[in-house]
Amino acid sequence: MLYAIELITDHLSSGVKCRGIIAHIRRATIGYVDYKNTHPFIAHDPNWREWAFAHNGTIFESDELLPYADIQCGATDSERILLYILDQNKRAVDEASRFKIIDSVAVKLSDKNKLNFVAFDGQDLYVHKNEEGTMFRKNHDGYVYIATKPLDDGEWEALAHLKELRADLREGRVTVEELLERRGHTNV
């Protein structure tokens, strides 16, 4: 574990320049504490688009995720969700179909589960939440911050219940689109 901390410290001390950063502090509810279970998970879809994924919550029931337990590197439900999303994205032909697929995955997995996540494909950030008071957004100096709790005393907006966001991070501009409100989920 010390090696991982040193590796991260060395990497961050040289400065980070990018259009999007995902940071996640994990409370291990499923899977043991290990570097392999560290968020965000990074993987490629069938079209070699690189994805980063972080999840807050627990999937109690999901037959859809069972096949991925044998191929994942770690032991978390979060990694299985990412693998499922990537597998489903075999059918994606463009940006709109990619997000339609992610939305259908979120709908399937949300029922009777707590499912807050951010998924980033190098261009677009997709944010999903299905439990009240568990995801907040702040716009500041051209940046969009998404967090499960406000990180400072600034103005944070609670994301609407069962609502997804999509942020376009191309060419240094940030636009946030609120997607359709989802109804009919049973929350934990």
Side-chain angles (χ1 to χ4, degrees):
M1 187 62 124
L2 184 58
Y3 171 74
I5 292 170
E6 290 171 356
L7 183 67
I8 292 168
T9 302
D10 287 346
H11 183 70
L12 292 177
S13 66
S14 64
V16 176
K17 293 181 182 181
C18 63
R19 293 176 292 161
I21 296 174
I22 296 177
H24 182 279
I25 299 171
R26 179 172 180 258
R27 177 179 168 217
T29 55
I30 292 187
Y32 44 90
V33 176
D34 188 283
Y35 186 72
K36 292 178 185 176
N37 293 331
T38 302
H39 298 234
F41 293 98
I42 308 294
H44 291 90
D45 69 17
N47 298 312
W48 285 99
R49 179 179 295 275
E50 186 174 69
W51 289 77
F53 181 87
H55 164 240
N56 172 340
T58 302
I59 302 298
F60 297 102
E61 298 178 23
S62 174
D63 292 338
E64 289 86 4
L65 299 182
L66 290 177
Y68 304 99
D70 293 334
I71 61 171
Q72 70 185 108
C73 294
T76 68
D77 53 351
S78 304
E79 185 180 7
R80 288 189 291 276
I81 295 168
L82 173 60
L83 294 173
Y84 179 51
I85 287 171
L86 299 183
D87 195 34
Q88 296 302 301
N89 263 295
K90 288 179 193 174
R91 304 179 319 231
V93 294
D94 59 15
E95 180 180 296
S97 61
R98 215 171 35 248
F99 282 94
K100 192 173 186 177
I101 289 167
I102 292 171
D103 185 57
S104 72
V105 168
V107 168
K108 279 182 192 174
L109 297 180
S110 288
D111 191 39
K112 299 180 182 140
N113 294 304
K114 180 182 176 195
L115 183 67
N116 291 349
F117 69 78
V118 293
F120 180 60
D121 69 3
Q123 172 181 310
D124 293 303
L125 176 74
Y126 186 86
V127 179
H128 171 84
K129 70 163 252 190
N130 72 329
E131 191 170 292
E132 196 66 47
T134 59
M135 196 77 82
F136 297 85
R137 172 178 67 187
K138 177 181 177 179
N139 299 324
H140 182 70
D141 288 341
Y143 294 96
V144 176
Y145 299 87
I146 306 290
T148 54
K149 294 181 181 181
L151 301 174
D152 61 22
D153 293 332
E155 293 185 28
W156 289 82
E157 171 191 354
L159 295 185
H161 189 56
L162 298 174
K163 193 168 272 194
E164 287 84 22
L165 295 178
R166 181 179 149 254
D168 180 348
L169 303 176
R170 285 178 280 203
E171 300 171 13
R173 77 177 196 281
V174 176
T175 58
V176 177
E177 172 186 353
E178 292 199 19
L179 302 176
L180 296 175
E181 186 169 333
R182 292 283 159 223
R183 301 192 184 281
H185 297 284
T186 305
N187 294 332
V188 292

